[in-house]
Amino acid sequence: PGDAYPDTWHAHSGIVSTRFLTPPFRLSFDLAVTTYDPDVIASVLLIPTDDRRRPGQDTGSSSTTLRMDLRGDLLSLIEWDRDRIQTTGIDRDLLQGARFVVEMRGTELTVRVNGKERLRARHHQTAAPAYYAAFVGNAKKRVPDDTRIHFDNITLETID
């Protein structure tokens, strides 16, 4: 008789890289979200290789994980144990498809969307020697059934 947890996150899906990245590095990807809704989140997680998880395991976060979230029209950088580092608004039109570039150099993270810098922040973690990248979609049960989060043309690269 109904959902016992109507306001919890139900749909959770994603992929984790089997290759790890050593800083400095760049992640580039195309992202499209078919439904504009704050209960739909597209996330990119940077999981330190010394974390207890390995590729193929749960893509949940730990206290050392760094995240970039696109939720509704907000783009955020998040440290799992400190909440948001920085948040900015993003044009709703970009949800239909945009090229994202996330760079990590030491403790600095930069996010560009279609070539324009949207966020730059320092995280408070000790920089890990290497990270796995996870690309994850989450949604609450009440969002439309045809809601999709598309990550495509993913490139992981070490930079100078």
Side-chain angles (χ1 to χ4, degrees):
D3 188 351
Y5 304 100
D7 292 326
T8 60
W9 297 97
H10 285 273
H12 174 86
S13 178
I15 59 172
V16 180
S17 64
T18 56
R19 177 181 158 221
F20 60 84
L21 297 159
T22 55
F25 61 80
R26 177 182 301 130
L27 308 174
S28 305
F29 53 93
D30 296 330
L31 174 60
V33 181
T34 61
T35 303
Y36 172 78
D37 192 306
D39 288 339
V40 176
I41 302 177
S43 299
V44 176
L45 290 76
L46 300 175
I47 304 167
T49 55
D50 57 1
D51 199 327
R52 65 184 178 277
R53 283 178 310 281
R54 295 291 176 254
Q57 294 180 330
D58 178 24
T59 56
S61 297
S62 75
S63 63
T64 57
T65 298
L66 299 167
R67 284 186 11 207
M68 181 209 79
D69 278 358
L70 179 60
R71 181 177 186 176
D73 60 356
L74 292 178
L75 180 65
S76 300
L77 289 173
I78 299 168
E79 287 180 304
W80 194 253
D81 65 343
R82 291 180 179 257
D83 206 12
R84 286 177 180 76
I85 304 172
Q86 190 174 26
T87 299
T88 189
I90 193 165
D91 298 330
R92 194 179 292 192
D93 294 346
L94 293 176
L95 298 176
Q96 300 304 311
R99 185 73 176 165
F100 284 75
V101 176
V102 178
E103 288 186 2
M104 177 183 263
R105 296 178 184 270
T107 60
E108 185 173 81
L109 288 167
T110 304
V111 179
R112 291 182 183 80
V113 181
N114 289 342
K116 181 180 177 186
E117 185 175 301
R118 301 306 305 244
L119 292 173
R120 179 182 297 263
R122 292 201 174 276
H123 64 83
H124 302 94
Q125 310 287 350
T126 301
Y131 294 84
Y132 293 107
F135 299 84
V136 180
N138 281 298
K140 289 189 177 178
K141 193 167 186 168
R142 65 162 199 77
V143 302
D145 289 340
D146 62 348
T147 299
R148 301 288 182 268
I149 297 171
H150 299 275
F151 289 99
D152 201 2
N153 299 315
I154 298 170
T155 304
L156 313 173
E157 59 188 320
T158 301
I159 56 177
D160 294 327

